[in-house]
Amino acid sequence: MDEKTQPEASPAVVEIESARDVVCRQLVKVYGPLLNRDQLVQFLGFRTAEALERSVERGQLGLKVIRLPHRQGLFARTSDLVDYLDSLDQHVIQRKERKV
């Protein structure tokens, strides 16, 4: 495609993408590239680490979590958490639109 035929990104989309990148960058700066189980509990609003573990075991958590060799507990990439939280925002918007 040449420059004339490429669709222009709308300002709103660029703004949302850059806000996501800023949030991700800040979280990585503070917490690093991986979040541990206790951090996931805090970010996702679970009451206990056991509640998070049960949600993972039941397949109810939409966030990809991993277990690392020779390490205890669950971990998730910080960028995956940001993507997951973004997807929740989209889900809420879609549900509101259906009700109207």
Side-chain angles (χ1 to χ4, degrees):
M1 265 186 206
D2 63 3
E3 291 179 336
K4 294 179 184 176
T5 60
Q6 288 181 350
E8 292 184 26
S10 70
V13 172
V14 173
E15 184 178 316
I16 290 171
E17 289 173 352
S18 64
R20 182 237 175 255
D21 291 343
V22 168
V23 169
C24 189
R25 203 173 314 111
Q26 289 297 318
L27 288 176
V28 168
K29 186 177 180 180
V30 173
Y31 296 99
L34 285 177
L35 298 167
N36 65 34
R37 182 185 69 174
D38 293 336
Q39 292 164 333
L40 291 171
V41 167
Q42 178 185 1
F43 277 110
L44 298 173
F46 283 93
R47 289 182 183 211
T48 64
E50 291 75 21
L52 171 66
E53 296 266 358
R54 282 193 305 271
S55 180
V56 170
E57 289 171 8
R58 294 176 183 155
Q60 296 173 329
L61 187 64
L63 173 65
K64 180 181 174 184
V65 293
I66 56 175
R67 295 190 187 274
L68 297 175
H70 312 292
R71 299 284 308 270
Q72 290 185 350
L74 298 170
F75 296 86
R77 288 186 184 103
T78 305
S79 59
D80 287 346
L81 175 71
V82 174
D83 291 340
Y84 174 70
L85 295 175
D86 275 350
S87 74
L88 294 178
D89 285 344
Q90 292 301 318
H91 180 70
V92 169
I93 291 168
Q94 290 171 359
R95 287 185 58 94
K96 285 183 180 178
E97 288 173 356
R98 279 191 237 152
K99 286 185 175 183
V100 174

